[in-house]
């Protein structure tokens, strides 16, 4: 039997059902398991702890499939886990309101390294760990059996694959090739999603509920949408009656996709001004010019991949607040997000407070936002909480 034995006292996190086993916790590997193969994880005293996928190249040496010794890690296991993930979405996501949503969110759905998003009739999947890669065929067949779709596209092309010793892979995995843009509906807004080249699997599905909530605050407002990507917040705001939206992104192709999304929703271009610029520089310029908005949205890319980058990330998040707060009309809202898991909610609030302090403005958080219910947080795996947003009233 292939197995790994943990060093003395290193079983504590597993007993709390955390699914990661770091290389430093492993005392002994028995039976020469291949990458992705299932191993029994045992405590120093030999007691069974879990069945896990072995990953010889990664710092995360194994990821737990199940803590139940009697549960066989075979194809039916993966079908059960996929079916459970789908049942969760059926309970939490209205498929009429949203035709794009996350079906499987890795560890948080008991499938470490596996991400599956649904965009209309297409699925987009990522296999990001040695274990996920090992069971790729079984998972693809399971998805085909459980979810009616025209095709499954693969986007296993993230940096996480490299850490697992896996080469990137992308393209059509099953069925029809996805078109250039797959259309989805999100609370009445229509968006084209480029599953071939877009960020992540093509779209920021994790912000869907937040776009809907913020849209409710947009009637008659002058909105600055910074880090606009393909204009999802812009479309939601304009459809909800925003007077004007200025959207800013450094990517010309993202702005072009946003313009297509405006047209797709029958929105006239004159209410939207597109600015291709660096947000950090533009905020300073707008501040010097005395520009004024009722609602400013800051949704930057991930600034910290891990704890090592925390100080630099904190400075960047603070800089955004410091330079955006002066642009908000008294009584207006500054909504700032962070999708860095390494920045926990308390730290994010502190960084935001520091930005207001240096801007000499008063801020009050009137709502706390996070990732939507299709990106659940497993309580035993706090790393699955990554998106934080503060709706700050500015005075
Ligand atoms: N709010 C978007 C997602 C934003 S993703 C949505 O709901 O879909 C982050 C975006 O920031 C990307 O489009 C990227 O091109 C852009 N970006 C990254 N750094 C930037 C910078 N310094 N200035 C302007 N845009 C930047």
């Amino acid at each position: 039997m292939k197995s790994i034995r943990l060093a003395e006292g290193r079983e504590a996190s597993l007993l709390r059902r955390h699914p990661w086993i770091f290389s430093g916790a492993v005392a002994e590997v028995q039976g020469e398991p291949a990458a992705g193969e299932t191993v029994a994880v045992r405590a120093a005293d030999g007691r069974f702890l879990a069945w896990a996928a072995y990953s010889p190249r990664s710092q995360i040496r194994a990821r737990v499939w199940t803590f139940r010794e009697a549960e066989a890690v075979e194809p039916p296991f993966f079908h059960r886990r996929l079916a459970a993930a789908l049942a969760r979405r059926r309970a939490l996501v209205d498929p009429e309101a949203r035709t794009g949503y996350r079906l499987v969110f890795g560890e948080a759905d008991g499938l470490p390294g596996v991400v599956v998003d649904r965009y209309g009739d297409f699925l987009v999947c990522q296999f990001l760990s040695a274990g996920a890669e090992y069971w790729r065929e079984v998972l693809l067949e399971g998805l085909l059996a459980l979810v009616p779709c025209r095709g499954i596209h693969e986007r296993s092309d993230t940096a996480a694959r490299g850490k697992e010793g896996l080469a990137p892979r992308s393209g059509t995995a099953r069925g029809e090739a996805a078109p250039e843009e797959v259309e989805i509906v999100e609370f009445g807004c229509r968006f084209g999603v480029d599953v071939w080249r877009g960020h992540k699997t093509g779209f920021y599905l994790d912000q869907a509920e937040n776009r809907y909530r913020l849209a409710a605050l947009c009637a008659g407002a002058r909105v600055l949408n910074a880090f606009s990507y393909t204009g999802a917040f812009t479309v939601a705001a304009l459809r909800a009656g925003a007077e004007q939206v200025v959207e800013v992104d450094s990517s010309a192709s993202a702005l072009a996709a946003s313009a297509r999304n405006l047209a797709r929703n029958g929105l006239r271009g004159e209410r939207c001004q597109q600015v291709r610029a660096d947000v950090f520089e533009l905020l300073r310029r707008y501040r010097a010019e005395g520009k004024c908005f009722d609602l400013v949205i800051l949704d930057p890319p991930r600034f910290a991949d891990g704890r090592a980058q925390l100080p630099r990330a904190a400075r960047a998040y603070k800089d955004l607040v410091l330079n955006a707060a002066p642009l908000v009309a008294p009584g207006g809202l500054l909504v700032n997000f962070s999708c860095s898991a390494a920045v926990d909610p308390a730290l994010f609030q502190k960084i935001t407070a520091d930005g207001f302090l240096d801007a000499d403005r008063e801020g009050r958080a009137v709502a706390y936002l996070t990732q939507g219910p299709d990106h659940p947080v497993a309580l035993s795996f706090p790393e699955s909480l990554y998106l934080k947003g503060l709706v700050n009233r500015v005075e």
Side-chain angles (χ1 to χ4, degrees), residues 199 203-204 207 211 225-233 248-251 254 277-280 299-301:
H199 290 184
F203 199 68
Y204 288 85
Q207 290 279 28
R211 285 188 280 265
N225 178 15
F227 306 99
S228 52
Y229 188 48
T230 55
F233 275 105
V248 192
D249 204 282
S250 53
S251 157
D278 176 81
V279 168
F280 293 89
D299 184 23

Side-chain angles (χ1 to χ4, degrees), residues 375-394:
H375 296 64
V377 179
L379 296 177
S380 56
F381 182 65
E383 291 86 343
S384 46
L385 171 64
Y386 67 100
L387 184 62
K388 300 145 301 279
L390 290 173
V391 181
N392 306 287
R393 187 180 150 94
V394 184

Side-chain angles (χ1 to χ4, degrees), residues 98-390:
R98 293 181 60 188
T99 62
Y101 51 91
R102 179 147 294 187
L103 279 179
V104 180
F105 182 38
E107 278 78 349
D109 278 304
L111 288 169
V114 183
V115 169
V116 184
D117 288 338
R118 171 176 215 158
Y119 295 109
D121 294 334
F122 287 88
L123 303 184
V124 183
C125 58
Q126 296 179 314
F127 303 102
L128 304 175
S129 63
E133 178 76 8
Y134 187 89
W135 293 99
R136 179 177 176 274
E137 293 296 315
V138 167
L139 289 160
L140 287 170
E141 289 307 314
L143 285 169
L144 279 183
L146 289 165
V147 192
C149 63
R150 278 166 60 190
I152 306 181
H153 189 79
E154 181 166 5
R155 284 295 299 277
S156 302
D157 54 6
T158 75
R161 293 259 307 183
K163 292 185 187 160
E164 293 280 317
L166 302 167
R169 188 195 305 105
S170 60
T172 305
R174 289 288 191 279
E176 276 177 54
E180 284 276 298
E181 285 189 320
V182 181
E183 191 170 282
I184 61 164
V185 177
E186 181 183 289
F187 300 115
C189 303
R190 295 183 176 280
F191 297 116
V193 177
D194 179 353
V195 303
W196 291 84
R197 283 165 299 267
H199 290 184
K200 309 218 285 182
T201 62
F203 199 68
Y204 288 85
L205 292 168
D206 51 359
Q207 290 279 28
E209 314 264 329
N210 298 332
R211 285 188 280 265
Y212 183 66
R213 280 188 71 176
L214 291 187
L217 305 169
C218 280
R222 296 158 295 172
V223 177
L224 175 65
N225 178 15
F227 306 99
S228 52
Y229 188 48
T230 55
F233 275 105
T234 304
V235 168
L238 287 172
R239 279 193 81 251
E243 184 183 298
Q244 218 224 348
V245 178
V246 177
E247 64 172 17
V248 192
D249 204 282
S250 53
S251 157
S253 61
L255 291 170
S258 175
R260 289 196 295 279
N261 281 329
L262 288 179
R264 196 174 256 118
N265 288 275
L267 293 162
R268 297 209 315 276
E270 60 261 35
R271 280 164 66 212
C272 175
Q273 184 194 343
Q274 293 195 321
V275 183
R276 184 179 178 197
D278 176 81
V279 168
F280 293 89
E281 285 168 18
L282 189 80
L283 291 177
R284 282 187 170 74
R285 194 164 90 222
Y286 276 5
R287 193 179 170 182
E289 292 170 359
K291 278 246 184 349
C292 189
F293 298 91
D294 303 302
L295 179 70
V296 175
I297 300 164
L298 303 168
D299 184 23
R302 192 169 68 210
F303 289 145
D305 282 335
R307 300 195 61 82
Q309 293 148 358
L310 267 184
R312 210 191 47 185
R315 278 197 298 280
Y317 288 123
K318 180 182 144 184
D319 193 71
L320 291 174
V321 173
L322 163 59
N323 288 294
L327 307 181
V328 182
L333 298 171
L334 170 60
V335 185
N336 60 329
F337 291 100
S338 161
C339 60
S340 309
V343 176
D344 68 46
L347 175 60
F348 186 57
Q349 181 165 327
K350 172 154 191 322
I351 294 167
T352 305
D354 288 348
F356 272 92
L357 193 63
D358 285 13
D360 198 20
R361 299 294 296 267
E362 241 184 273
R364 281 180 181 74
V366 294
Y368 290 79
L369 305 178
T370 185
Q371 61 220 50
D374 49 334
H375 296 64
V377 179
L379 296 177
S380 56
F381 182 65
E383 291 86 343
S384 46
L385 171 64
Y386 67 100
L387 184 62
K388 300 145 301 279
L390 290 173

